[in-house]
Structure formats: structure tokens, C-alpha cells
Amino acid sequence: EPPDTPNDFSCQTQDMKIVTCTWSQGRDTYLYGRYSSKYTVFEEFSQKPVLCTVNCSKRCSCSWNIGQQRICNITLTVENPLGKKTATDVFDVTHRIYPAAPLQLWEECTGTEITLYLQHRNKGIELFCQTELLQPDGKVELHNASSDLRVCNTITLGGLQPYTEYTTRVRCGAAKHFWRWSEWSEARTIRTNETTPSGKLDIWREITPVLGGRNVTLFWKQGTSFRANGRSISYEVTWEKVEDGSKPEKISFSSVYNSTRIFIDNHSYRISIMAKNNINYSLPSVLIIPRATGNKTLFCSFLGTEEVKEEQVNGTDDGIFISWEPRHTYDSYIIDWCNFPMLQPCDLQWKRFDPNTSSALINSAAFVPGVRYNFHIYGSVANSASLLEKKTGYLRELPPLPDPTVEKVELSFNAVTLSWDSYCINESQSGFVRGYHVYVSPIQEDCNLQGSKKHVLPDNSVLCKYTIENPEEKRYTVKHLLSNTKYKLAVKAYSGGGETPIVNFIYIDTPFNSNTLYLLVLLVIVPSLAAAICCWKMNWLKEWCCPVIPSPNKSKVLSFKEFKVRSLKI
């Protein structure tokens, strides 16, 4: 096949002396050896063929020295026995400068700046360079140099973070007639210098009253506004009485610690915590612990154990939503909670909010369904915090466990009273217990008792269901039962997460109804007895009123001898 017209034919130079032209070969002509395609390069202005060796690996290229020539008209011809094609490129050499990659020789650093010292191979060419800065988080920034690098072979990068590793590389292009960027220089990783820690630590406290004073557990963390700015970090805790200006006490901790416990008496105290690196201390974070009063109510209110009513809140898939009534007297709000409420230590957490905030969605990777989390909302002013509200809630409620244990059963022939007084409805439950369901049914048949609702089990048997909506009411009487009958019963607690399936029943036998026996006595035995008495009385009355006439033969009044007349006794 005849050859294709050379594609992407263009020429460029790095030093305005050596010109390199490149192009693509095109499709295969299926001609090989002495019949394969031949390339020739010709410069039209000088009317001279270009003496260069064409190298075609990935792309074809040809390089030669143009001397002092500045305007070039290059014609590329590709030819084989079946035809030939040409391509032309006319250009000003100063407009086709493709600089060599610069060399980064060394660098100088401060805490916030890096100065790169470069060497360029393109002497006498005004260059415009671009620096790529790779941040620790993977973000890439491009910085353009504004000075003529022929005069000053340095590039300064500012606005950096202290004691932070950055990776840099540089590329350049012609400043006056930009053609294309050079290749990137070799990348270099550079760390800025240490400086004083910036910002303050985020600190909080937990106060526990003890004999003679209070235990204060202090917590600290590096918040978003804090930077260590150094290789090694340590912490210094200082506390002193506010009133008498006594000598402060202090203790230092290494970077692996984020809490400590101190004992203070009932005076007011000022507590400060600072971070320290090899250069200096950070600004102090301060807490004021007010004086403990002898009034128990006020003291407990300060500690957050009384006076503030606890309110239930609901969780969502994203966290637990907390809202509070805004007060204009505070400069910030703090919410604290335990990630693991059933453990000690409970992993106390806290968040701060600005004074214009009155709600927050609290989330944590530690939150799991079925665990109750308690939240305390504080208002802070002048580094002193006061408890404002208390909230409690679940990420998601689960059915209560275990089931209530029926501890007492009181039976009559038509009713049964169940009691489960020791059942706990506290924070150990996996949901807020909102009430109870009492289920009952005769063993041999479905239930249909007055005042109940039907509840169908998976096996299609029917129970009678009674609802108690007060979780504090742990006693219930089921009425309208049949005497001398076997019943099965169950008591289930329910929450916002529902209730667990019924697995176990308790069984009872209602006693025989004694009233039925009394009725039998009244209707059968008493009338029979009355009839017997009446019969006896009638016989007695008859004998009294109408005595039996004695037989003359039995009379002894007259003692005659018997004689007979004919056949009769006389």
C-alpha cells in the first residue's frame, strides 16, 4: 500500500540550536526491506536537505543543528514504490522552545516556607516555572513562579504548615512564547521546621465529690484548631486556688496520655493545660472549678446529679439528635457523654458548640442499638461551666430483655392477679420500657375474654391480650376466668423497639367455684331436708290431734273370759 501522510508532524528545540521533529508512522504498508517507506527531511528556506538519522520506535524523530537560523520551513516526505506523501511545518525557533527539566539542587526551610534552589540547562532563555506541591493528605497544589529564573534560580513556597512533609517537583516553559512544559524535575520530599504549637488544647472535666473535697478527672485532646508543630509533644497540667493565690501545683505527661485525675478541696480552683514541643508551650486552656457549697442541693446541681430533669430523645440512623433551650448568657455550649456507659472508664467524650447553636446530631462509631446513652448539656462562660439540661436516648431501641419474672400469683375461681415488682426499667434495658402486655388463654381452646384484644401466635392459636401503659405499674388482675379451668399466661415488657416473641408461659388452675356448691345445697339438700322435717311433723301432729283408737282386745279394763257363740269370740 502507499504510505499515509505523516501524522502529528511538529518541530521544537530546547536550546534554539538543535531542532527535533517528530511524527507518527501511520498504518502498515506491508512493504519490507528495500521496498519499505523511506523518510527525507528538507529545509525549504536554505534549500538544503537535512542530514539526520530517522529513528522510529514509538514515534519517528529526526534532530539536526540549525546554526543561527531562526525561521524554518521543514518538509517531511515519506515514500515507497507505491507512492509518496508530504507534511510541512513552518515555525519561528523562539516560539518552539521545549526546555529541559530543571534540577533541584537543594532547599532551605522555615516553619511555613520552603525555598527551592534550581539549576537550568537552558542558558539565556527566559523561563516561567511551575511547582507541584503534594500535601500530606494527598491534595496537589500548583504554584507558578513570577520571577525571571535567569536572574534568581529560586522558588519560594509559602503558607505551609510547620513540621510537615511535602513533596515537590518543578517544570518550566518559555516565558515569552510558551510552547509546552518541560518534563518534571525529580521529586523531592521536604519537611518544614518545628515552631511553637498553635491554638489551644480542647479540655474538659468530670467532678466526683469525695470526703474532704472533690476528685476532678481532666481530659484533653487536640482539636481542629490545634497543631503540635513539632516532633515530640508533652502536656503540662497546672492547678491553683483562685482565692488565696497559693503556689500552683503542676504535673507533666507524655504524648500517650490524654487524661489525669487530681484531688482538690472545696475551694474554687483554676486549672490550665498546655502542650509543649521542642520549641515552646502552646497557649493555656483554662477551666474554673467553682467553690463547693455546703448546701447539698446546690452542690449536687453543680455536679449534674439533681435538680435537672432528664428528658428522653430519639436516635436516627445517623446519630442521636440533641436540642436545648438557648441562653444568651453563655459564650459556648458543651455536650458530654460516654461511648461505653456500662464500662469504667466509660470513654468520656465531649463536643463544643458556638453560642448561636441550639441543636446537634451526636454520632460516634461506638454507638450501637440497644444501649442507652446519657448526654449532659453545659453552658460555659468565662471558662466556668454549668449544667443546663440532661438527655437520654438510644441510637435505636430494641425489645426489653429479659422478660418480667412473675413473682406472685393470687388465684380466685374467676380471676388471677400477677405481680412482677422487682423488674428493672433502668438504663440497663435495651429500650425505654413503655408498659407491659399480659397474655392469657385456656390451654385447650382459644381465648375470648371480656375487655381483652385478640393476639394471634405464629401457630394460629389465639391469646387474650391486655395492655398496661404505665411502666411503674407491675401488677395486673385478669378477670372473667372460668372456674376449675387450666390457663397459660405470659407477661412481656415492650419498648419503642417492640417486644420479644412469647416463648415461655406460666400455668394455673382456677379453683372450683364454692358458690356453685352453696347453690346446690340451697336448691337440693335444703328442700329435701325441709320435706323430711315436714313429713315428720305431720305424723306427730296427726298422732297428737287424732290418736289411734285402741283395740278392745288389747284393753285390760274389763277382764272377761272369752267365750264363743257359734264361731264368734265374745
Side-chain angles (χ1 to χ4, degrees):
E1 294 183 9
D4 283 339
T5 301
N7 295 324
D8 304 324
F9 177 59
S10 67
C11 301
Q12 58 195 15
T13 180
Q14 287 189 336
D15 57 4
M16 295 192 298
K17 294 179 181 179
I18 305 297
V19 169
T20 299
C21 295
T22 60
W23 64 92
S24 299
Q25 293 187 61
R27 72 177 187 274
D28 193 350
T29 62
Y30 302 103
L31 296 175
Y32 307 104
R34 62 193 183 97
Y35 301 110
S36 61
S37 299
K38 303 293 189 297
Y39 296 95
T40 57
V41 180
F42 190 82
E43 205 290 305
E44 297 290 343
F45 292 150
S46 64
Q47 290 296 305
K48 293 179 180 180
V50 173
L51 301 177
C52 68
T53 300
V54 176
N55 179 19
C56 291
S57 53
K58 294 181 180 179
R59 283 175 59 86
C60 295
S61 65
C62 176
S63 299
W64 73 98
N65 192 327
I66 62 170
Q68 300 298 319
Q69 187 174 345
R70 290 294 174 262
I71 306 297
C72 295
N73 183 356
I74 308 298
T75 299
L76 172 66
T77 302
V78 55
E79 183 177 7
N80 67 19
L82 299 180
K84 69 176 180 179
K85 295 290 176 61
T86 61
T88 302
D89 189 15
V90 179
F91 59 93
D92 185 333
V93 173
T94 60
H95 294 189
R96 294 291 182 89
I97 296 176
Y98 169 53
L103 296 176
Q104 291 191 57
L105 299 180
W106 73 90
E107 63 278 335
E108 291 180 353
C109 297
T110 66
T112 58
E113 288 185 346
I114 295 175
T115 300
L116 303 176
Y117 288 84
L118 308 176
Q119 182 181 22
H120 297 283
R121 301 167 188 168
N122 304 92
K123 302 298 183 181
I125 300 175
E126 183 179 352
L127 297 177
F128 172 78
C129 293
Q130 187 177 70
T131 304
E132 180 186 80
L133 183 70
L134 178 62
Q135 304 270 4
D137 60 2
K139 183 181 177 181
V140 175
E141 294 181 358
L142 295 176
H143 297 261
N144 295 326
S146 58
S147 60
D148 184 356
L149 296 180
R150 293 178 303 173
V151 178
C152 180
N153 291 332
T154 61
I155 295 177
T156 299
L157 306 173
L160 308 181
Q161 297 292 345
Y163 201 69
T164 303
E165 278 193 350
Y166 297 92
T167 299
T168 65
R169 58 180 185 171
V170 182
R171 63 182 180 181
C172 299
K176 287 187 176 180
H177 304 286
F178 182 83
W179 167 244
R180 55 177 296 190
W181 290 112
S182 70
E183 297 298 324
W184 287 105
S185 66
E186 182 180 351
R188 294 176 69 94
T189 299
I190 307 163
R191 183 187 293 274
T192 52
N193 294 342
E194 291 187 75
T195 61
T196 300
S198 57
K200 298 180 181 180
L201 294 170
D202 188 0
I203 67 174
W204 190 233
R205 84 294 182 273
E206 188 177 44
I207 304 172
T208 305
V210 294
L211 184 64
R214 295 159 288 177
N215 282 334
V216 180
T217 305
L218 299 169
F219 304 89
W220 57 87
K221 60 185 177 182
Q222 298 181 9
T224 55
S225 63
F226 176 85
R227 284 191 58 86
N229 295 341
R231 176 173 48 223
S232 61
I233 196 81
S234 61
Y235 304 102
E236 185 173 282
V237 178
T238 305
W239 64 100
E240 59 184 329
K241 289 182 181 179
V242 173
E243 292 92 346
D244 57 9
S246 58
K247 183 179 179 181
E249 297 182 68
K250 64 177 62 178
I251 186 171
S252 296
F253 300 91
S254 68
S255 59
V256 299
Y257 291 91
N258 61 2
S259 67
T260 188
R261 176 179 292 178
I262 63 173
F263 172 80
I264 61 174
D265 57 29
N266 292 325
H267 291 85
S268 178
Y269 275 79
R270 180 184 186 273
I271 300 174
S272 68
I273 304 178
M274 295 184 293
K276 182 181 183 298
N277 62 15
N278 293 330
I279 303 300
N280 207 342
Y281 287 94
S282 69
L283 295 173
S285 299
V286 178
L287 282 174
I288 302 297
I289 309 297
R291 170 190 289 271
T293 175
N295 185 308
K296 180 180 178 181
T297 301
L298 290 177
F299 183 54
C300 291
S301 176
F302 169 73
L303 294 175
T305 57
E306 290 183 5
E307 297 299 320
V308 179
K309 185 178 179 181
E310 192 172 65
E311 179 184 343
Q312 294 182 4
V313 292
N314 298 320
T316 68
D317 292 338
D318 300 321
I320 299 175
F321 183 76
I322 306 294
S323 63
W324 60 91
E325 181 184 348
R327 283 87 163 175
H328 300 295
T329 55
Y330 299 104
D331 52 34
S332 66
Y333 297 101
I334 303 100
I335 299 178
D336 72 9
W337 71 92
C338 285
N339 268 343
F340 305 100
M342 299 302 174
L343 301 180
Q344 284 298 331
C346 69
D347 188 20
L348 184 73
Q349 302 291 315
W350 71 96
K351 278 189 176 182
R352 294 182 179 272
F353 301 91
D354 62 60
N356 298 321
T357 302
S358 60
S359 64
L361 184 66
I362 304 299
N363 50 36
S364 169
F367 285 174
V368 294
V371 175
R372 186 183 299 186
Y373 299 97
N374 299 313
F375 301 89
H376 301 89
I377 303 166
Y378 297 84
S380 177
V381 61
N383 298 318
S384 180
S386 302
L387 180 64
L388 304 179
E389 299 179 28
K390 293 174 19 177
K391 312 284 184 177
T392 183
Y394 297 82
L395 184 69
R396 186 174 76 250
E397 292 186 65
L398 298 179
L401 285 173
D403 291 336
T405 300
V406 177
E407 300 156 352
K408 188 176 180 182
V409 179
E410 300 175 12
L411 272 173
S412 68
F413 70 90
N414 68 342
V416 61
T417 300
L418 307 175
S419 301
W420 53 95
D421 294 330
S422 64
Y423 188 67
C424 293
I425 58 174
N426 58 17
E427 60 186 17
S428 65
Q429 282 289 357
S430 53
F432 294 118
V433 176
R434 305 181 189 277
Y436 308 94
H437 289 140
V438 177
Y439 298 93
V440 62
S441 177
I443 293 178
Q444 301 297 332
E445 57 185 280
D446 291 340
C447 183
N448 189 17
L449 294 178
Q450 180 181 342
S452 67
K453 293 183 178 180
K454 288 186 177 182
H455 178 79
V456 181
L457 293 177
D459 62 0
N460 292 324
S461 60
V462 178
L463 305 180
C464 289
K465 176 181 175 182
Y466 300 90
T467 300
I468 305 169
E469 295 183 348
N470 180 7
E472 300 291 342
E473 187 177 337
K474 302 176 184 179
R475 178 184 176 91
Y476 191 76
T477 299
V478 181
K479 300 178 181 179
H480 309 296
L481 302 180
L482 298 176
S483 64
N484 197 27
T485 305
K486 291 181 180 294
Y487 285 91
K488 59 182 180 180
L489 302 99
V491 178
K492 307 289 291 186
Y494 68 90
S495 69
E499 64 183 48
T500 57
I502 302 173
V503 177
N504 298 316
F505 289 92
I506 59 173
Y507 296 89
I508 62 168
D509 290 322
T510 53
F512 186 80
N513 188 354
S514 59
N515 292 336
T516 303
L517 181 61
Y518 297 151
L519 185 61
L520 180 63
V521 170
L522 290 175
L523 296 179
V524 178
I525 298 178
V526 172
S528 299
L529 183 60
I533 293 174
C534 288
C535 183
W536 178 78
K537 284 290 186 179
M538 286 179 66
N539 290 334
W540 177 83
L541 185 62
K542 179 181 178 182
E543 289 180 2
W544 186 77
C545 296
C546 302
V548 178
I549 300 174
S551 173
N553 292 333
K554 297 180 179 180
S555 175
K556 295 181 181 180
V557 176
L558 297 176
S559 301
F560 297 108
K561 292 183 178 180
E562 291 183 356
F563 63 97
K564 295 182 179 179
V565 179
R566 295 184 180 95
S567 62
L568 300 172
K569 286 183 179 183
I570 298 175

